[in-house]
Amino acid sequence: MAAPCCGDTFPQQVLRFLKPVKLELKNRWMVQNKGLNMTNNQYEIKNSMGQKIYSAKEQNDCCTRNCCGPQRSFDLKIKDQNDQEVIHLIKPFRCTSCMCPCCLQEMEVQAPPGTTIGYVIQNWHPFLPKLSLLGTANETLLTIEGPLCAISCCGDVDFDSALITDGHVIGRISKQWSGLIKEGLTDADNFGISFPMDLDVKMKAVLLGACFLIDFMFFENVGDSGQRCSVFG
């Protein structure tokens, strides 16, 4: 399906998708036995009214998933209702531990696929989850900071996004508490993303990429133990 473009590089359907003030990202990770049967992560992306507007699926191989865990490399394709890819995320293999500051997490955001519009990189900090959202020239435009304890226990876990110029908080990525039974017995997670309407549409797409990276960094189960990651690895 041919779609009109904004500036010949950013699909119009992505502009419409990124206008809602709040998005819901629903992880539908289908796991049979939590181990060698682990499958690729799958997601549904919904608008503020709960309507599904996009779907996303992790792309990698069985060996990478089972041997590298949450630190694994992957491509993630975000597709519209017509099964057309509109955003492409690329994550290389990286460490999460604060003991390895030279090889921290990062993600490249492409929209449309093949055109890089920004990056999400992890900033070293001994205790706090910190990320920077970069533009095409590797300039830092937004920062994200999470809580000291990124554990969802009967409440949401908030990661605030702020302007690099004055530190003013303009948005938030929230790991939403989905109830004791769902949190304890399944690997499904819900996230909400809020941002100002006038935020640059490309930064909204990079902010969406940051939500996926946060999911892998802090809310991905590790092997059979069910343990989740932190800045300590």
Side-chain angles (χ1 to χ4, degrees):
M1 180 185 70
C5 294
C6 176
D8 296 327
T9 59
F10 210 67
Q12 185 64 32
Q13 67 264 36
V14 179
L15 294 177
R16 292 198 298 267
F17 153 58
L18 292 171
K19 281 183 179 177
V21 175
K22 188 174 182 180
L23 302 176
E24 180 178 313
L25 188 156
K26 183 179 180 181
N27 186 331
R28 299 188 297 125
W29 191 13
M30 309 304 294
V31 179
Q32 295 180 338
N33 287 319
K34 285 190 182 177
L36 295 180
N37 292 322
M38 182 173 65
T39 63
N40 286 329
N41 282 6
Q42 299 182 59
Y43 301 84
E44 289 180 355
I45 302 170
K46 301 180 180 181
N47 60 21
S48 55
M49 296 180 290
Q51 300 168 328
K52 178 184 174 181
I53 50 178
Y54 284 88
S55 60
K57 185 175 181 179
E58 173 190 358
Q59 304 286 327
N60 63 21
D61 57 82
C62 179
C63 181
T64 300
R65 290 194 305 272
N66 290 289
C67 295
C68 301
Q71 290 80 26
R72 65 186 179 269
S73 61
F74 64 84
D75 285 17
L76 196 143
K77 297 181 178 181
I78 301 177
K79 297 183 178 182
D80 61 17
Q81 301 284 45
N82 297 313
D83 203 38
Q84 179 180 358
E85 185 181 3
V86 292
I87 300 177
H88 191 95
L89 306 178
I90 303 173
K91 176 188 174 296
F93 175 83
R94 289 291 186 271
C95 299
T96 55
S97 173
C98 64
M99 302 302 294
C100 301
C102 60
C103 193
L104 297 178
Q105 295 289 329
E106 63 180 59
M107 177 176 283
E108 178 183 346
V109 182
Q110 299 179 351
T115 301
T116 301
I117 60 169
Y119 304 88
V120 184
I121 63 169
Q122 180 187 5
N123 301 123
W124 183 88
H125 193 278
F127 307 111
L128 296 176
K130 289 193 174 187
L131 302 171
S132 290
L133 276 59
L134 279 56
T136 53
N138 288 317
E139 74 281 19
T140 301
L141 301 175
L142 294 175
T143 61
I144 294 177
E145 182 173 320
L148 176 63
C149 184
I151 297 177
S152 181
C153 183
C154 301
D156 295 351
V157 181
D158 295 328
F159 295 77
D160 291 330
S161 59
L163 292 171
I164 189 63
T165 51
D166 57 9
H168 179 64
V169 175
I170 61 168
R172 176 171 293 167
I173 297 174
S174 298
K175 162 64 175 67
Q176 300 172 340
W177 173 254
S178 21
L180 185 61
I181 295 178
K182 186 175 181 181
E183 292 282 344
L185 300 180
T186 74
D187 293 311
D189 291 322
N190 290 337
F191 292 82
I193 309 175
S194 60
F195 44 73
M197 290 292 290
D198 59 352
L199 182 66
D200 181 80
V201 290
K202 295 181 180 180
M203 273 296 99
K204 292 177 183 178
V206 178
L207 195 61
L208 176 62
C211 183
F212 285 104
L213 187 59
I214 286 172
D215 180 32
F216 273 86
M217 287 176 62
F218 302 106
F219 303 103
E220 178 93 340
N221 284 349
V222 182
D224 296 328
S225 65
Q227 179 183 357
R228 296 193 172 193
C229 296
S230 70
V231 293
F232 302 105

